Amino acid sequence: MALGEPAVFAERAGYDKMWHPACFVCSACSELLVDMIYFWKKGALFCGRHYGDSEKPRCGGCDEEVDVEVSCSKGRSRDSVWGRGPVCPQLIFSNEYTQAEGQSWHLKHFCCFECDCVLAGETYVMEGARPVCQPCYMQNYAVVRLRPFASCSSTTSA
């Protein structure tokens, strides 16, 4: 840096480090951190979201972080959780959560797309990209195929 240029000093990083204002960005997403809360971890700058991601798993049903907890059937729509609208976002701060479909979930956020029953520890079927409990699957998606009776055959004997 040239003498007289504006510089950002980050106290958490130590006074021997400085950045051009345009270079003071999150190491994960490149979000500009000037005039924002920043985090310093293992020699790198982070925005709040990515620092949180490095500390705790993020719920697959919430995606973002907030400080309000909601249940599966209250405070959010099922459509929102499965990628079709805004959601109530959270990091998982609880020690009790489940892992399914390659993601971590609050226990009450991993629920049936049809009836909202909690699926943690239960049998479920993925219908498209949405988990469905076994009873809802049987009622709404399963194809019932009946075998013909032994006396019913397509050929007749003469």
Side-chain angles (χ1 to χ4, degrees):
M1 295 190 76
L3 188 61
E5 282 187 285
V8 176
F9 288 92
E11 185 177 338
R12 294 178 191 113
Y15 287 106
D16 61 328
K17 294 179 180 45
M18 63 180 127
W19 292 261
H20 293 104
C23 298
F24 192 65
V25 297
C26 174
S27 61
C29 69
S30 299
E31 179 179 11
L32 188 62
L33 298 175
V34 174
D35 296 327
M36 294 184 64
I37 295 174
Y38 71 92
F39 297 85
W40 180 256
K41 182 178 180 182
K42 296 183 181 176
L45 289 166
F46 291 97
C47 64
R49 175 184 174 88
H50 290 106
Y51 176 76
D53 286 347
S54 74
E55 295 294 308
K56 295 284 186 175
R58 191 169 294 274
C59 178
C62 298
D63 182 52
E64 304 287 334
E65 55 182 295
V66 294
D67 53 352
V68 189
E69 195 161 320
V70 297
S71 69
C72 201
S73 59
K74 297 177 183 166
R76 68 156 176 86
S77 84
R78 291 171 292 165
D79 290 347
S80 297
V81 167
W82 300 105
R84 296 188 308 235
V87 294
C88 125
Q90 287 185 16
L91 285 173
I92 300 175
F93 290 105
S94 168
N95 288 331
E96 293 182 14
Y97 63 93
T98 190
Q99 292 185 317
E101 302 304 315
Q103 297 182 57
S104 299
W105 303 79
H106 290 104
L107 292 177
K108 53 189 167 180
H109 286 180
F110 187 63
C111 52
C112 175
F113 185 78
E114 297 292 329
C115 71
D116 277 348
C117 72
V118 174
L119 294 174
E122 301 295 327
T123 301
Y124 67 92
V125 176
M126 290 303 287
E127 184 58 35
R130 302 179 196 127
V132 179
C133 68
Q134 193 171 18
C136 286
Y137 179 81
M138 295 306 291
Q139 180 180 351
N140 300 319
Y141 300 101
V143 176
V144 178
R145 296 183 184 180
L146 300 174
R147 284 199 228 151
F149 289 108
S151 62
C152 297
S153 67
S154 58
T155 58
T156 57
S157 52

